[in-house]
Amino acid sequence: MLNGISDSLHVQQRSPSVAPTAAPQAAAQSPNPAQAASIPGHRLESYNKWAKVTQGQHKVSAQQVAEQGLKQVKSLLSQLQQQGQQALTSGANSNKLEQIQQRLCQIEISYLGQPLIDHQLNLISNQRPAAKHSFTLKSVELTTAKPRDELVQVQLGKGSAQALLPANAQPHELANQLKSAFAKLDIELQHSVDNRLLFQANTQQWQQIQHGLLMTGQGQRLPAGDARTIKVQPQLNWQDPQEWRFNSRENIKQSLAKVAKSAHKVDAQLRELQTSQQHIQQQLQKASQVKDAALNVESTLEALSGLMQPSPFKLKLNSLMAQANITRPQVSSLLE
């Protein structure tokens, strides 16, 4: 679980793992055989162990942060359930429910700058990437057939894309043109249940997109001239706490069902984290006790390669000549 955390951390985690391979390569390429054997195998093995243990410790730390975050999420979900039941039985004010909901939406759980839980309360890993944000465009319908061609341009941050929408084209043809264009901005397109264009972007992009997209056209579907900000409408998934509503008795009932499903999911993820932490702790214990036989053999072979040169005397002679800055005839005259 969370295997991607340690792989995407800063260089400080990866640099130790480079040392065991870089050192033997330098030794094998050295013209001096004695220098090739100057780094003992046990020291290289220690470097490798240290790198593995450090990486494992980062994984454990990330998982502990994720665990604490999920426990906080679980506590807020439990409060929502309790306050929701009270609101149903006694008709209490929904202000407390909305306050807890807001706290839940504002939770950000990360380790060394890497998010661990997405906006739908899911753990993030290599096998389970963060959920994307879905949205539609307000007051703009790009797949409507028009009598003239239109060049649509989109700007997002420093990136830009454009799509030529042919005259009298069918909606699916226009959608394909737009899909190719928006792919350059790493935005996915698909059709929603009511056959509207549904856009999807990652969290970093959404921070910009939620304030609107800069777009321009040629007067068919979008105004011509300078780029204008086109507002967007978020399309929330039931797992996103922002989607839950507590402004009526019926909405409270529906939202409490979603809260219960989310609480069940969080419990499952906590169990998953505990199992994963136990597994990594066992690996760390092994790494500190058992020798890495593969690395030992590899370092030994590389040391032997440096010692088994075809003409060791020639290498030594060349080294002496280079250090003394003299030529072969001068050496020969000296030997005479």
Side-chain angles (χ1 to χ4, degrees):
M1 191 61 206
L2 296 175
N3 291 331
I5 296 299
S6 59
D7 299 333
S8 59
L9 296 178
H10 299 296
V11 179
Q12 63 182 2
Q13 293 168 248
R14 297 196 298 266
S15 56
S17 61
V18 176
T21 55
Q25 286 177 1
Q29 294 173 1
S30 172
N32 191 341
Q35 190 176 3
S38 61
I39 302 178
H42 70 275
R43 182 175 297 177
L44 296 177
E45 184 179 349
S46 297
Y47 292 158
N48 186 62
K49 280 185 181 180
W50 181 77
K52 288 182 177 179
V53 169
T54 300
Q55 187 180 41
Q57 288 173 341
H58 276 296
K59 288 183 179 181
V60 171
S61 297
Q63 290 182 344
Q64 289 174 342
V65 172
E67 183 180 12
Q68 292 301 317
L70 284 177
K71 287 180 178 179
Q72 184 181 1
V73 169
K74 181 179 178 180
S75 174
L76 291 173
L77 291 174
S78 178
Q79 293 178 42
L80 274 178
Q81 288 176 315
Q82 294 175 4
Q83 292 294 330
Q85 291 298 333
Q86 290 181 14
L88 288 176
T89 55
S90 61
N93 196 304
S94 62
N95 287 341
K96 288 186 177 180
L97 286 167
E98 293 171 355
Q99 290 173 4
I100 299 171
Q101 178 189 23
Q102 187 176 8
R103 289 168 57 193
L104 195 57
C105 294
Q106 292 174 345
I107 286 182
E108 293 183 3
I109 303 166
S110 62
Y111 179 74
L112 295 183
Q114 297 295 321
L116 303 179
I117 298 174
D118 64 21
H119 62 287
Q120 295 182 4
L121 309 181
N122 299 312
L123 277 171
I124 301 172
S125 69
N126 287 340
Q127 296 75 26
R128 186 167 50 208
K132 293 196 172 185
H133 295 261
S134 300
F135 63 94
T136 57
L137 301 180
K138 280 186 176 181
S139 306
V140 172
E141 182 48 68
L142 297 177
T143 55
T144 300
K146 295 293 180 179
R148 295 202 309 253
D149 292 350
E150 183 174 25
L151 183 65
V152 172
Q153 297 181 336
V154 189
Q155 296 179 26
L156 178 61
K158 296 181 179 180
S160 63
Q162 61 182 24
L164 179 61
L165 304 181
N168 302 314
Q170 296 298 314
H172 70 275
E173 295 173 326
L174 297 172
N176 288 335
Q177 294 292 327
L178 292 165
K179 186 175 182 179
S180 299
F182 276 90
K184 297 177 182 178
L185 301 175
D186 198 23
I187 298 176
E188 298 178 5
L189 266 73
Q190 55 185 256
H191 280 91
S192 62
V193 178
D194 53 0
N195 208 31
R196 291 183 301 162
L197 276 185
L198 188 66
F199 300 80
Q200 291 186 322
N202 60 42
T203 299
Q204 184 177 1
Q205 290 172 309
W206 177 244
Q207 301 304 320
Q208 295 178 296
I209 294 173
Q210 63 182 333
H211 303 296
L213 280 172
L214 284 175
M215 302 181 70
T216 185
Q218 293 177 312
Q220 296 296 294
R221 303 166 186 84
L222 289 163
D226 295 335
R228 299 190 181 184
T229 300
I230 304 300
K231 294 183 178 180
V232 299
Q233 178 65 46
Q235 301 297 306
L236 302 175
N237 184 279
W238 72 265
Q239 298 181 76
D240 191 336
Q242 293 185 68
E243 193 268 348
W244 304 340
R245 295 291 177 265
F246 303 98
N247 54 358
S248 70
R249 184 179 180 84
E250 186 60 31
N251 283 341
I252 291 176
K253 284 184 179 180
Q254 294 178 2
S255 295
L256 284 180
K258 298 169 186 176
V259 171
K261 288 182 181 179
S262 297
H264 179 75
K265 176 179 66 177
V266 169
D267 285 336
Q269 290 178 152
L270 282 169
R271 290 193 297 270
E272 185 179 352
L273 277 177
Q274 291 171 357
T275 301
S276 179
Q277 286 184 47
Q278 290 175 359
H279 177 67
I280 295 176
Q281 291 287 9
Q282 290 173 357
Q283 288 182 326
L284 289 175
Q285 190 173 5
K286 272 187 175 181
S288 63
Q289 293 177 353
V290 182
K291 289 187 177 181
D292 191 341
L295 177 65
N296 191 32
V297 171
E298 182 182 359
S299 60
T300 301
L301 290 176
E302 289 182 354
L304 285 174
S305 175
L307 293 171
M308 295 173 65
Q309 297 294 335
S311 304
F313 176 77
K314 181 179 178 181
L315 290 175
K316 289 183 179 180
L317 180 61
N318 289 338
S319 178
L320 287 172
M321 289 167 58
Q323 293 176 31
N325 195 24
I326 57 178
T327 62
R328 182 178 295 273
Q330 288 173 318
V331 172
S332 298
S333 63
L334 288 173
L335 291 176
E336 291 175 357

